[in-house]
Amino acid sequence: MRNKILAACAMACSLITTQAFAQVPASCPDTLRYADTGVEGLEELRRSFGPFVETMESATGLKIEFFPVGNRTAVVNALRFEQVDVVMTGPSEYVAMDSQVKGAQPLVSLARPHYASIFIVPEESPYQTLLDLKGARISMKSVGSTTGHIIPAYMLVEAGIDIDRDVQILNLGGTLFEALISGDVQAAATGVRDWDGFVERTGGGYRILAQSPQMPDDLVVAGPHIAADCVDYIRETMMANGEALIQATLKPEGRERYLGASLMPVNDSSYDVVRQAYAALGLTAE
């Protein structure tokens, strides 16, 4: 009797798997090539996204292989020449990609809490508003970082500051806090998620001068060469397995920024703030 039950269960599981995989449109490629604009090198890509890709394969029934890209330009060219099929990217990179690769197809966004830009100053600093920063040296993250460069610079412009004449911006990447702690700069701009770690590291003595509204989300984008019915299938499957995909994203070390995240439909208009920032800063989305 037990063997019959097990056999029936095995048959049912087999049918469920077959039915799920049978939904894969014939237009989908046999293998989806996956890239991330924020990760360089094949080994790092595997480390950071191995569990995510494994979960994607199980959910979609498609084979997925990693395609490393070195920078934003590389992923744009890879999409243009159909060398990569699916890309995980940030808001700034998406705006650049969308302006250069016509027909890129957003799949899902990774909505996460506390995704905003902040300016940090010493507690005793005389600065009370962004406009007060005229004449100051400000450390920021690497050029092109959404919350650590593009949006903070846009906030300064919106406050009435000429970022070429009124302030000196130093794009210091991961050492922006060292410059603030040593006094080499009067303020630092970064993502709000860095605040708690900075306070823990320094023991206090600093405050948030200004904070931006919530920023648009990271997202997953399919290339324009992927058929529409295949895109719909991947999108629907990802949405149906959102929690599992988020948990898989959190498995590797260093993925804490996705704590509390959820998969959501992409609202392209939410990225207009980044487009406006590019325009206001006189930057080209390249």
Side-chain angles (χ1 to χ4, degrees), residues 2-17:
R2 180 174 177 273
N3 289 337
K4 288 182 179 180
I5 293 173
L6 290 174
C9 288
M11 183 175 292
C13 291
S14 175
L15 285 172
I16 290 170
T17 302

Side-chain angles (χ1 to χ4, degrees), residues 91-163:
S92 293
E93 292 81 4
Y94 169 63
V95 167
M97 186 189 307
D98 185 53
S99 71
Q100 298 176 71
V101 183
K102 299 306 179 184
Q105 306 174 87
L107 293 170
V108 297
S109 66
L110 285 77
R112 47 188 166 126
H114 313 305
Y115 190 36
S117 298
I118 56 173
F119 282 79
I120 302 172
V121 296
E123 189 69 51
E124 69 279 5
S125 168
Y127 305 125
Q128 299 300 320
T129 69
L130 289 179
L131 192 58
D132 294 337
L133 288 174
K134 280 188 175 182
R137 288 161 55 90
I138 305 168
S139 62
M140 295 188 183
K141 289 189 175 180
S142 301
V143 173
S145 167
T146 302
T147 57
H149 173 232
I150 299 297
I151 296 302
Y154 182 48
M155 291 169 68
L156 291 173
V157 171
E158 288 288 281
I161 287 179
D162 185 324
I163 60 173

Side-chain angles (χ1 to χ4, degrees), residues 166-187:
D166 295 337
V167 294
Q168 184 178 358
I169 294 175
L170 305 176
N171 294 103
L172 301 180
T175 62
L176 82 164
F177 288 134
E178 280 69 16
L180 181 63
I181 292 169
S182 66
D184 289 338
V185 298
Q186 287 74 55

Side-chain angles (χ1 to χ4, degrees), residues 15-16 30 34 46 80 88 93 97 116 129 140 147 178 183 195 204 220 229 233 235 253 256 266 270 286:
L15 285 172
I16 290 170
D30 293 334
Y34 173 89
R46 286 173 175 159
R80 281 175 174 165
M88 183 178 285
E93 292 81 4
M97 186 189 307
T129 69
M140 295 188 183
T147 57
E178 280 69 16
W195 171 247
V220 182
D229 59 341
Y233 169 73
R235 181 185 294 118
E253 186 178 352
E256 292 82 5
V266 176
S270 68
E286 296 178 356

